[in-house]
Amino acid sequence: MGLSAEGLKVGDSYSELVVEDLTRTQIVQYAGASGDYNPVHSDEKFVTEVAGYPTVFAHGMLTMGMTGRMLTNYVGDGRLTYYGVRFVNQVWPGDTLTARAEVAAVREEDGETLVDLTITTTNQDEKFVLTGNATARVD
Amino acid sequence: MAVERFPVEASHILMFARAIGDSNLIYSDDSHAAGTEVGSIIAPPTFAQASAQFDPDYFLRPKDGQKWFGSGATASGTLSKEPKEQSQESDDEKSGSSAGGLHAEQHFTYHRHLKPGDVLSAETKPGESWEKESKRAGVLKFSESITEYRDQNGELVVTARSVGVVTEKVIEQ
């Protein structure tokens, strides 16, 4: 079931806590599922001694995936026609992320009603880690 | 990247959904999915990225018989020097090897959603490239690539646009 265009207005928003205290294990889990084994995400020795970061950090795509859960919970399964993001800050183990979508427009295109959403995901310090947009079909 | 054959499988979708912390039954439960609007299990919106598993040349996966750049006996399997010696490199050298590539943007356009049984192929073409100056990270070199995912009938199902960035300095926030 999708969103109903009726009553949907610009400025409406929906948010979800998408991860609390992100674990290194979840980052490893994402590496395994996605196939992206870049050692900066799981290999403490490499990331600190060679890459020069304070510790391992999450794949941008993990943050996009977790943010996608908020989106599909809001607009319904199979409703997205576009989902695009920028990774604006790194996500570290221990981070707690909240993803939010805000209605930017409700419009008609080729006989379908679409909602355009502005997306932000913030960490526990209210800092943006991801910003983006999505479009979904609504009823 | 060219992926000749990316079979979309239910177990892979389940693992991917678990990894992103999404317990939505549409990703795992056939009988639930059958009663929904979409009518079958589908893949989460970012699943196409897992095509990396089926790219024979994907450089971020260790391969049999090849040195891996992550740690083993030393901090990096591709560096013969001990970590102690590396730290004596100049900052410039260090950032050159370390900052490496980061993922700056990712965009998906869905022509339809992926489901188990789909057998995709993917073709990637380079897009634009540009530079930007950043106080935090020095010169940023961006490059774009466009990947078209087609199904077993040759139909375009997902178009992905990815932007990578190579930073001059390590970003530590």
Side-chain angles (χ1 to χ4, degrees), chain A residues 38-51:
Chain A
N38 191 332
V40 297
H41 303 305
S42 58
D43 184 335
E44 191 72 14
K45 195 170 172 69
F46 173 86
V47 80
T48 56
E49 294 179 23
V50 180

Side-chain angles (χ1 to χ4, degrees), chain A residues 42-88:
Chain A
S42 58
D43 184 335
E44 191 72 14
K45 195 170 172 69
F46 173 86
V47 80
T48 56
E49 294 179 23
V50 180
Y53 290 93
T55 188
V56 295
F57 51 94
H59 305 71
M61 290 306 296
L62 172 54
T63 306
M64 186 178 188
M66 295 189 297
T67 301
R69 182 184 90 180
M70 174 281 297
L71 266 183
T72 51
N73 285 347
Y74 184 37
V75 303
D77 299 325
R79 291 298 188 114
L80 287 172
T81 60
Y82 167 76
Y83 175 28
V85 305
R86 282 168 187 250
F87 304 107
V88 294

Side-chain angles (χ1 to χ4, degrees), chain A residues 26 32-33 35 37 39 43 46 49-53 69 77 79-87 89-90 92, chain B residues 12 19-22 24 37 53 58 60 68-69 71 83 98 103-108 110 113 136 171-173:
Chain A
Q26 187 172 356
Y37 296 97
D43 184 335
F46 173 86
E49 294 179 23
V50 180
Y53 290 93
R69 182 184 90 180
D77 299 325
R79 291 298 188 114
L80 287 172
T81 60
Y82 167 76
Y83 175 28
V85 305
R86 282 168 187 250
F87 304 107
N89 271 302
Q90 272 156 307
W92 306 96
Chain B
H12 192 191
I20 59 170
D22 197 335
N24 188 335
E37 180 186 69
Q53 300 276 17
Y58 188 62
L60 295 174
W68 174 241
F69 66 103
S71 71
S98 64
H103 201 172
E105 293 181 36
Q106 183 68 35
H107 305 262
F108 294 105
Y110 307 101
H113 289 270
R136 197 165 56 135
I171 304 174
E172 290 189 21
Q173 244 180 349

Side-chain angles (χ1 to χ4, degrees), chain B residues 118-140:
Chain B
D118 280 338
V119 181
L120 309 181
S121 61
E123 197 68 53
T124 301
K125 293 180 185 121
E128 292 180 24
S129 55
W130 64 94
E131 285 189 11
K132 216 170 101 178
E133 188 76 35
S134 144
K135 277 193 183 144
R136 197 165 56 135
V139 179
L140 304 175

